[in-house]
Amino acid sequence: MSDPRAALLVIGHGTRDEVGQHEFRAAVALVAERLPAMIVEHAFLEFCAPTIAEGLARCAARGAERVTALPLLLFSAGHAKHDIPAALASAAAGHAGLKVRQTPTLDHHPAIIDLSVRRFREALAVGAALLPVNDTLLVLVGRGSHDAEANAEFARYADTLARRIGVGRLETCYLAMAEPSLADGLAAARRLPFRQVVVQPHLLFRGRLLDRLREAVCDCRTSDDRRRWIVAEPLGPASLLADAIVDLATVAWATAERAIADDLATNA
């Protein structure tokens, strides 16, 4: 895609954590490297700048007539379904003629699953794993949501990941807004007979939630020396994440172009 009138606006949730902000911007930079002929901008839903309105204004100032807004979120919940569309609609109202289209969230994109597999294997390598994968318990930890559909998608994602890895057993839990909680998930791990546990955060970037997870696992190491506790890294600003973003944007652009072609044919 090399249309100078089209832009990609990557929208993050936003965090007060400066490292998390830096990692988000690093991911967007990887995307921009892959799309050198495109307008690529970023914005945050909350907590930090630029806002969605500011990001959309930057796209318009650079000559964009069509903007593909990509919510850089793992699953579609309230932010992707309501908050981001509302903010985009409000911001777009100030730019006459600017067309804005929103893509789906990352969900089960193959590149994201590949990245999760990579983070699991890296955790075993760094942790000097004592036992084979099929004797290892994986505790996959999601952010959590009040949206039941998003939590169900996380559970399906976890099952897909566990099958790919061939792990001995899978447990899932959440950091907020859903059950079982992180404390419940770690307690379940302690009741099971596995001597090696990988606690893997299904999070995009670093931040306070990750800090809380690491503190909880540290407590497990201190109080339970019968098993080895290994914490995996979050997905982070990796090439595979950039690949997924570009792929979602490319599909959205192709869909938009087909719609424009259909309109022209209909009105011809």
Side-chain angles (χ1 to χ4, degrees):
M1 181 74 177
S2 59
D3 187 345
R5 298 167 299 172
L8 172 63
L9 178 63
V10 183
I11 302 172
H13 177 277
T15 175
R16 295 185 179 92
D17 185 273
E18 292 184 2
V19 175
Q21 293 177 28
H22 172 76
E23 289 187 340
F24 170 81
R25 292 188 176 96
V28 176
L30 289 174
V31 173
E33 289 176 2
R34 286 161 168 73
L35 302 169
M38 294 294 302
I39 298 169
V40 178
E41 291 287 349
H42 70 278
F44 296 98
L45 177 61
E46 54 188 1
F47 300 132
C48 44
T51 65
I52 290 175
E54 291 167 343
L56 204 63
R58 290 182 182 184
C59 292
R62 294 178 62 181
E65 297 178 3
R66 298 190 299 276
V67 177
T68 296
L70 189 147
L72 192 52
L73 303 171
L74 289 168
F75 300 105
S76 181
H79 287 324
K81 293 176 179 178
H82 308 295
D83 301 332
I84 291 176
L88 286 169
S90 176
H95 302 278
L98 186 66
K99 295 181 174 60
V100 180
R101 177 185 297 266
Q102 181 176 319
T103 76
T105 51
L106 294 167
D107 298 321
H108 300 260
H109 194 283
I112 300 302
I113 295 172
D114 288 346
L115 185 51
S116 286
V117 171
R118 177 182 294 178
R119 294 294 180 250
F120 175 86
R121 291 174 177 166
E122 289 171 348
L124 289 185
V126 172
L130 301 175
L131 298 169
V133 172
N134 59 5
D135 284 334
T136 299
L137 169 65
L138 169 64
V139 180
L140 192 68
V141 186
R143 181 184 185 91
S145 171
H146 293 304
D147 188 300
E149 185 178 354
N151 292 333
E153 288 301 318
F154 169 73
R156 284 191 282 273
Y157 183 96
D159 287 338
T160 300
L161 177 61
R163 288 195 299 271
R164 275 281 304 273
I165 295 170
V167 74
R169 180 176 171 127
L170 167 71
E171 292 287 326
T172 59
C173 58
Y174 300 94
L175 287 159
M177 297 182 286
E179 299 292 336
S181 66
L182 173 63
D184 293 335
L186 297 180
R190 296 179 66 159
R191 290 192 298 268
L192 292 167
F194 293 90
R195 290 188 293 123
Q196 182 166 277
V197 181
V198 174
V199 182
Q200 180 162 348
H202 191 51
L203 301 172
L204 281 166
F205 307 117
R206 300 175 191 273
R208 296 178 181 180
L209 290 177
L210 181 62
D211 292 341
R212 181 154 63 85
L213 181 150
R214 286 177 169 161
E215 290 172 2
V217 175
C218 183
D219 290 342
C220 289
R221 289 195 188 103
T222 301
S223 60
D224 179 14
D225 59 3
R226 295 175 301 168
R227 70 199 84 228
R228 187 178 187 89
W229 297 85
I230 303 170
V231 180
E233 293 294 320
L235 297 172
S239 294
L240 284 168
L241 175 58
D243 291 343
I245 294 170
V246 171
D247 184 55
L248 288 173
T250 300
V251 171
W253 286 324
T255 301
E257 288 176 348
R258 285 196 297 271
I260 291 171
D262 290 344
D263 288 343
L264 291 173
T266 300
N267 296 324

